[in-house]
Amino acid sequence: KILWTLLVTILGYASSLPVGDDSICTAEELAKYSIIFTGKWSQTAFPKQYPLYRPPAQWSSMLGVTHSSDYSMWKKNEYASNGVRDFAEKGEAWVLMKEIEEAGEKIQSVHGIFSAPAISSGTGQTSTELEVHPRHPLVSFVVRIVPSPDWFVGVDSLNLCEGDHWMEEVSVDLFPYDAGTDSGFTFSSPNFATIPQDTVTEITCSSPSHPANSFYYPKLKILPPIAQVTMVKIKKNQPGLRPPYLNLPAKSNEVIDSV
């Protein structure tokens, strides 16, 4: 009886502890990262129904947030919010921005929002900077696949903190996701709302298992990554594009290259 009481007490204490990887982050106060998104959506890698015009293959702007485990922008196998639905279907960010703002005000779960410009082709790069905090070490973002019914790529709650330090560099291969709000099979499918709404699912070479699906490649074991994201920690003494580097005397292009 005593052992049982002790076990219940311990379990009760454990259940009251904060959950999530960010609860054990003891890194320095703040960290800044450069985030580089690289599109790999080429006709060579993804020849089936590759969009060449009206519109050609491209990427929307990136919308992301740094946050704690109390907030979730999107999750695999869970229902997309209205904001994620609008972004995945139409590239409209207003509702998603409002959801992020409300989460930050209510439960202090959001540290900052970041965005990066769109890419006008299937391949190319875009970048921006973000800031994380020991209580908000997680990064989430979405980038819409254009054209598509409701398809996107992104990361969900990627933790940049490892115990008492921030990771120096992280690279993640990205694969397409279906927001579960539109039932189109192809890049250029007309609007066909999914009723009732489905959960967010990863699109693979065999799922959805239908020959009409633009990503259906039955001879492949896995799809090649359609994009990649890299986050590099910015050193405190790294001035980026600002002076005084521009004022240093240079004998060659080395200084310009470093800037």
Side-chain angles (χ1 to χ4, degrees), residues 159-176:
N159 196 344
L160 295 179
C161 183
E162 284 189 325
D164 63 351
H165 67 278
W166 297 105
M167 299 172 74
E168 291 296 324
E169 183 172 334
V170 185
S171 288
V172 180
D173 287 334
L174 304 176
F175 300 89

Side-chain angles (χ1 to χ4, degrees), residues 24-83:
I24 57 171
C25 181
T26 57
E28 59 191 80
E29 187 66 15
L30 291 171
K32 288 188 176 181
Y33 283 82
S34 172
I35 177 169
I36 304 103
F37 176 88
T38 304
K40 296 186 173 185
W41 185 18
S42 67
Q43 191 171 10
T44 303
F46 300 91
K48 187 177 180 183
Q49 302 169 359
Y50 188 81
L52 296 173
Y53 57 94
R54 293 186 181 180
Q58 56 191 278
W59 299 96
S60 78
S61 57
M62 172 194 288
L63 181 60
V65 61
T66 56
H67 60 96
S68 69
S69 59
D70 296 322
Y71 173 78
S72 174
M73 174 180 273
W74 66 275
K75 278 193 181 299
K76 184 180 178 180
N77 299 326
E78 293 189 8
Y79 293 104
S81 68
N82 291 334

Side-chain angles (χ1 to χ4, degrees), residues 248-259:
L248 294 175
K251 297 179 181 178
S252 66
N253 287 333
E254 289 179 7
V255 171
I256 296 174
D257 288 341
S258 68
V259 172

